[in-house]
């Protein structure tokens, strides 16, 4: 779907600082959201199924071997453990569940565990299934689809022009090839990035227009939660009004995507989280993030309900990967799906919990320095980790 504003308009909106002007922008974004999605929502949750000790150099990530931060580790989860965390996400009211692993790609054995985990989640919950497992080949994409996975997450992280500052070992071109494999297999894509890595306002706009070109089903935006000892660990949090402004601008540039806020939303937005929903979100990530803690399920549901949006479980979660598109939804025929027996607090279910499940390992000696920005030609080479 074409952007509702031009590149230059987006740049101008990016300069807004007065709260009244930002509120007017938010009203515009809210109308754009309502027109396309009505009162539907798309709430997700994740499990960090394999963490830490990653060979790559993504500058925001504490799992990188280049970070001076302690390493948040755990080995690849067993499929039934993945299912337990999925059941907690379902109890909280999440519509979909993402199985996430570190690194550019999985070994054959770890990939098989993800496939088995996805099958269990398909069989035993009413959740839609997503994975985020680094680069995947066309063959693996097909295998995931056959296992019941509906959507694959693979971020571009930042504007293409800024990307070499973010990672040199995970190539942007490789990301695009993975997105092609996802689309060829008939899977939905979830593609976004992180704001506040040091990119300029222009580069934020570039990123939004690049996402519009990629045209993913879902766009997750993270807000840097600076981790001490990482490349971007000394950056300040964003001003919450800046965040809501950029949420609204992204919504106007990518009006047809399911747009959600994920990591860093609690720390960067504080009390302005409901205003971010008004600025055009379809959902948030419920429960906890990969290595940091999130919000309580009842508070997240209340943010959406406060704006008259439906957060109820959807009875066809397993069959219809994108319920907002089903016939009749926008004409007011959303099925009656009463919320029963949803939990309010994370303490009431076996959520993925990085504060207890990650083993924090001190690095032995000084980690290697982050590699310098590569040349353009170097950056476009065939990605590593492309095998089956
Ligand atoms: S590939 Fe993933 S886990 Fe590894 S450093 Fe990059 S973001 Fe972190």
């Amino acid at each position: 779907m074409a952007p509702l504003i031009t590149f230059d308009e987006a740049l101008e909106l990016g300069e807004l600082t007065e709260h009244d002007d930002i509120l007017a922008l938010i009203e515009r974004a809210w109308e754009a959201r309502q027109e396309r999605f009505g009162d539907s929502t798309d709430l997700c949750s994740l499990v960090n199924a394999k963490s830490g000790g990653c060979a790559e150099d993504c500058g925001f990530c504490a799992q990188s071997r280049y970070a001076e931060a302690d390493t948040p580790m755990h080995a690849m989860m067993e499929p039934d453990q993945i299912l337990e965390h999925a059941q907690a996400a379902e109890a909280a009211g999440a519509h979909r569940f993402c199985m996430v692993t570190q690194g550019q790609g999985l070994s054959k054995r770890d990939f098989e565990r993800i496939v088995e985990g996805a099958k269990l989640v398909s069989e035993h919950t009413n959740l839609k299934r997503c994975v985020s497992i680094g680069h995947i080949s066309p063959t693996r994409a097909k295998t995931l689809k056959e296992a019941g996975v509906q959507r694959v997450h693979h971020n571009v992280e930042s504007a293409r022009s800024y990307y070499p500052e973010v990672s040199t070992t995970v190539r942007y071109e490789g990301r695009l090839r993975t997105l092609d494999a996802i689309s060829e297999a008939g899977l939905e894509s979830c593609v976004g990035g992180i704001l506040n890595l040091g990119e300029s306002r222009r580069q934020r706009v570039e990123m939004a227009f690049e996402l519009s070109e990629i045209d993913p089903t879902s766009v997750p935006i993270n807000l840097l939660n600076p981790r001490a000892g990482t490349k971007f660990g000394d950056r300040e949090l964003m001003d919450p009004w800046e965040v809501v402004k950029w949420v609204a601008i992204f919504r106007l540039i990518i009006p047809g995507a399911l747009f959600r806020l994920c990591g860093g939303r609690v720390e960067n937005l504080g009390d302005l989280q409901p205003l971010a929903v008004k600025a055009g979100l379809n959902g948030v990530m419920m429960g906890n993030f990969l290595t940091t803690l999130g919000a309580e399920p009842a508070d997240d549901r209340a943010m959406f309900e406060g704006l008259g949006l439906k957060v109820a479980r959807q009875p066809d979660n397993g069959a219809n990967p994108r319920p907002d598109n089903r016939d009749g939804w926008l004409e007011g025929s959303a099925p009656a799906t009463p919320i029963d027996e949803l939990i309010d607090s994370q303490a009431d279910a076996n959520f993925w919990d990085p504060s207890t499940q990650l083993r924090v390992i001190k690095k032995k000696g000084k980690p290697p320095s982050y590699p310098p920005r590569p040349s353009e030609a170097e950056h476009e080479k065939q990605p590593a980790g492309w095998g089956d």
Side-chain angles (χ1 to χ4, degrees), residues 74-298:
H74 75 76
M76 186 72 208
M77 275 184 191
E78 295 297 333
D80 55 357
Q81 209 182 346
I82 291 175
L83 174 62
E84 279 174 28
H85 293 312
Q87 285 166 329
E90 185 170 40
H95 300 133
R96 57 179 57 252
F97 181 69
C98 189
M99 293 154 262
V100 187
T101 55
Q102 54 87 299
Q104 284 213 67
L106 289 177
S107 66
K108 190 164 180 286
R109 180 170 158 271
D110 287 350
F111 181 71
E112 279 164 9
R113 287 198 193 173
I114 285 290
V115 168
E116 284 313 305
K119 284 183 187 163
L120 284 181
V121 177
S122 306
E123 284 161 18
H124 298 287
T125 76
N126 197 26
L127 291 160
K128 302 180 190 76
R129 284 79 58 187
C130 308
V131 298
S132 180
I133 55 174
H135 291 314
I136 53 173
S137 65
T139 311
R140 282 195 172 182
K142 206 161 158 271
T143 306
L144 291 170
K145 170 104 175 153
E146 285 162 4
V149 170
Q150 295 155 327
R151 191 177 291 173
V152 178
H153 167 260
H154 198 63
N155 276 350
V156 291
E157 306 302 7
S158 192
R160 191 169 191 150
S161 66
Y162 191 69
Y163 185 83
E165 301 292 340
V166 179
S167 179
T168 70
T169 62
V170 186
R171 296 189 188 115
Y172 192 94
E173 196 58 30
R175 293 183 179 278
L176 298 184
R177 291 174 64 94
T178 288
L179 294 175
D180 285 344
I182 293 167
S183 133
E184 274 166 32
L187 290 158
E188 294 183 347
S189 59
C190 179
V191 190
I194 308 182
L195 298 187
N196 194 27
L197 297 177
E199 72 284 359
S200 65
R201 285 179 174 161
R202 170 174 279 273
Q203 283 166 323
R204 271 185 205 158
V205 173
E206 280 174 22
M207 174 183 167
F209 275 89
E210 284 159 2
L211 287 171
S212 161
E213 280 290 309
I214 292 169
D215 194 23
T217 310
S218 161
V219 173
I221 295 295
N222 300 277
L223 308 163
L224 181 68
N225 181 2
R227 314 308 298 158
T230 60
K231 183 174 182 181
F232 302 120
D234 294 333
R235 293 190 59 76
E236 303 281 319
L237 292 171
M238 284 177 85
D239 176 272
W241 282 90
E242 269 295 288
V243 176
V244 292
K245 178 180 80 182
W246 284 102
V247 169
I249 294 171
F250 270 63
R251 167 49 76 206
L252 294 176
I253 297 172
I254 36 180
L258 294 163
F259 185 22
R260 71 197 70 240
L261 274 188
C262 304
R265 67 183 169 93
V266 180
E267 296 78 2
N268 283 270
L269 275 161
D271 294 342
L272 253 54
Q273 283 199 75
L275 196 59
V277 176
K278 182 104 197 257
L281 298 182
N282 297 83
V284 289
M285 182 160 282
M286 305 180 84
N288 299 315
F289 306 108
L290 294 177
T291 60
T292 57
L293 297 173
E296 289 292 11

Side-chain angles (χ1 to χ4, degrees), residues 54 56-58 60-61 63-64 102-104 170:
C54 180
E56 313 307 337
D57 69 347
C58 308
F60 53 84
C61 182
Q63 300 185 57
S64 165
Q102 54 87 299
Q104 284 213 67
V170 186

Side-chain angles (χ1 to χ4, degrees), residues 17 38 44 120 141 173 190 282 297 316 339-340:
T17 54
C44 57
L120 284 181
E173 196 58 30
C190 179
N282 297 83
D316 60 352
I339 302 179
D340 50 2

Side-chain angles (χ1 to χ4, degrees), residues 329-352:
W329 178 277
L330 295 182
E331 281 73 52
S333 62
T337 48
I339 302 179
D340 50 2
E341 297 176 52
L342 287 183
I343 58 161
D344 287 339
S345 164
Q346 288 197 30
D348 297 336
N350 184 13
F351 263 87
W352 157 249

